[in-house]
Amino acid sequence: MTDKEFDAAVEELRVAAPHAPELHQPGGGSKLLSLHNGDAEELEHWIATRALQEPLCVSEKVDGCAIAIRYVDGLLEAAWTRSGKDATQLVAKVAPKRLEQPLSIEVRGELYDAVDGRQSVPAQALRKPSHTGEGLAFIAYTLVGADGDEFLTLERLSKLGFDVVTAICCTSLGEVLDCHRRWKAGCFGRLDLPTDGIVIRIADHEKQGSLGADKKAPRYAFAMK
């Protein structure tokens, strides 16, 4: 198989099953993708082509470093960044080490500066294995492979001991744009969090799975800054 054929096969798998074990990163789990983002016109197009008549989950876009955490039998086993860098040692100081239930799951969230809200702070901390974790916090926003929808998932994560993002249910473009206006006015969601926009996700996990992802980001999510 040529490199070109291999790359094409990997991309085909990524689209069909973005959380497949074969796509696992050096940090020990599936790859953390970015988010497509745009303005109101682009959001309207995204809803019309991918999310028409779908309930949407709107949350804060926390300005930190994306982190994935794997738990095995309820114990934190590994954590990694979007680039696949091992972050277990630092994340274990700010995220739950033991879950309320003995589950084997993969949690997604953001490591952020809980003092001044600077994105550079967690980024620098991840480069220092000896960092104490002081001033940092972890907030969860989804659970890989969960059934149901985003609202149930966030409720479940909260019960497991995680701090979680806000979840507002929207059913129209106007409602989403109202959330964005409120965010720009400083009155959307958790005001104690450092944010740089909002994230809109199709709520239903089955629909998310059918849409899959491209090379950059999941097709079932969109960000507005």
Side-chain angles (χ1 to χ4, degrees):
M1 178 182 287
T2 66
D3 289 344
K4 184 176 181 180
E5 290 171 333
F6 177 80
D7 290 342
V10 170
E11 177 57 21
E12 184 177 350
L13 177 61
R14 192 187 311 284
V15 171
H19 304 308
E22 293 80 3
L23 299 175
H24 283 187
Q25 295 297 292
S30 54
K31 184 176 180 180
L32 279 157
L33 298 176
S34 183
L35 286 171
H36 292 300
N37 62 81
D39 57 19
E41 184 177 347
E42 290 166 309
L43 172 66
E44 182 176 14
H45 176 74
W46 177 78
I47 290 177
T49 56
R50 295 179 180 171
L52 196 62
Q53 297 182 333
E54 290 285 342
L56 302 171
C57 178
V58 181
S59 304
E60 308 95 340
K61 185 177 182 296
V62 180
D63 191 14
C65 294
I67 295 288
I69 311 176
R70 183 176 64 231
Y71 289 86
V72 176
D73 296 329
L75 299 177
L76 193 156
E77 182 180 82
W80 59 96
T81 66
R82 180 171 285 126
S83 65
K85 177 180 174 61
D86 179 32
T88 308
Q89 187 172 340
L90 177 59
V91 172
K93 296 172 182 174
V94 297
K97 292 182 180 180
R98 181 189 294 271
L99 302 179
E100 295 297 325
Q101 299 175 34
L103 302 174
S104 296
I105 57 175
E106 184 178 318
V107 177
R108 298 285 176 81
E110 292 280 328
L111 181 68
Y112 68 94
D113 174 10
V115 179
D116 298 316
R118 293 181 296 169
Q119 196 276 338
S120 60
V121 171
Q124 292 170 0
L126 286 164
R127 294 194 288 268
K128 299 177 180 178
S130 61
H131 198 285
T132 64
E134 184 178 356
L136 299 176
F138 177 80
I139 188 165
Y141 56 74
T142 198
L143 181 61
V144 174
D147 53 11
D149 61 29
E150 290 290 337
F151 305 105
L152 291 174
T153 294
L154 290 171
E155 182 179 348
R156 183 183 183 192
L157 285 168
S158 180
K159 290 180 179 178
L160 288 173
F162 292 96
D163 187 19
V164 298
V165 295
T166 301
I168 303 297
C169 183
C170 294
T171 57
S172 69
L173 172 65
E175 289 177 352
V176 176
L177 292 178
D178 182 59
C179 287
H180 187 245
R181 282 191 292 268
R182 286 162 53 200
W183 171 76
K184 292 185 75 173
C187 55
F188 175 81
R190 293 258 304 272
L191 302 184
D192 60 313
L193 295 173
T195 62
D196 61 343
I198 62 172
V199 177
I200 307 101
R201 293 183 178 86
I202 292 175
D204 183 70
H205 286 159
E206 185 175 350
K207 179 66 174 179
Q208 290 182 4
S210 68
L211 287 173
D214 57 31
K215 291 182 179 180
K216 176 188 175 183
R219 295 189 178 92
Y220 55 80
F222 191 89
M224 290 188 73
K225 298 185 177 184

